[in-house]
Amino acid sequence: MPAAIFLSPEDAEHAYYEALRAGDTDTLMDVWSEDEEIVCIHPAGPRHVGPAAVRASWQQILAKDGLHVAASHLQVARNPLCAVHNVLEQVQVETRPEARYAFVLATNVYMKEADGWRLVLHHASPAIGHEDTGAHLARPHHLH
């Protein structure tokens, strides 16, 4: 059983983005369901199915000192057992000579399980039409 219990999808999402920023794969995987049907799709990447494949994909991404990401523009669809969060992610891709960002649209689906809310699907794709201004988004949404 995972170490953390998330009482709401928002709690799970907050832990998810904190783990990404920290580069902590173990904490990140605590957010995910242990179900063999979980799915993770990174921008322009293949579909990873099951905890082992999802973990391996994140280990490769986070091997370089975490992911500098901020989520904003949260849209939510929810019922008592499922929550679908769609966010705009701003990912820092360069720091020198100045900060540069990529923008990603991500859909995170959370299910209520016996041990709290768990992530079952993360699907991310490039956010076409969002320009890199070198500055943070004007409307940040704090997920917690």
Side-chain angles (χ1 to χ4, degrees):
M1 177 158 40
I5 295 176
F6 303 107
L7 300 178
S8 71
E10 292 76 21
D11 289 345
E13 187 143 285
H14 176 75
Y16 174 76
Y17 283 102
E18 286 298 314
L20 287 178
R21 286 187 282 274
D24 186 341
T25 305
D26 291 334
T27 300
L28 180 71
M29 291 309 296
D30 281 346
V31 177
W32 284 87
S33 172
E34 294 178 344
D35 192 292
E36 290 299 321
E37 304 290 322
I38 64 173
V39 174
C40 185
I41 303 170
H42 302 291
R47 179 172 59 176
H48 303 282
V49 179
V54 170
R55 175 183 286 278
S57 75
W58 282 115
Q59 283 175 325
Q60 183 178 10
I61 290 169
L62 297 176
K64 298 176 184 151
D65 199 26
L67 192 62
H68 302 276
V69 60
S72 66
H73 299 76
L74 175 66
Q75 295 292 316
V76 177
R78 182 174 174 178
N79 69 37
L81 299 176
C82 179
V84 179
H85 289 191
N86 184 266
V87 297
L88 178 64
E89 296 177 345
Q90 180 184 29
V91 183
Q92 186 174 2
V93 293
E94 291 181 23
T95 58
R96 295 185 183 158
E98 62 184 38
R100 305 237 348 127
Y101 299 92
F103 293 89
V104 175
L105 289 171
T107 300
N108 300 317
V109 178
Y110 301 91
M111 300 288 292
K112 189 171 188 181
E113 298 184 351
D115 61 351
W117 288 88
R118 298 283 171 221
L119 184 60
V120 296
L121 172 106
H122 171 77
H123 185 189
S125 61
I128 306 302
H130 290 274
E131 303 298 322
D132 178 6
T133 63
H136 286 282
L137 293 170
R139 287 182 46 206
H141 176 79
H142 299 286
L143 298 171
H144 187 62

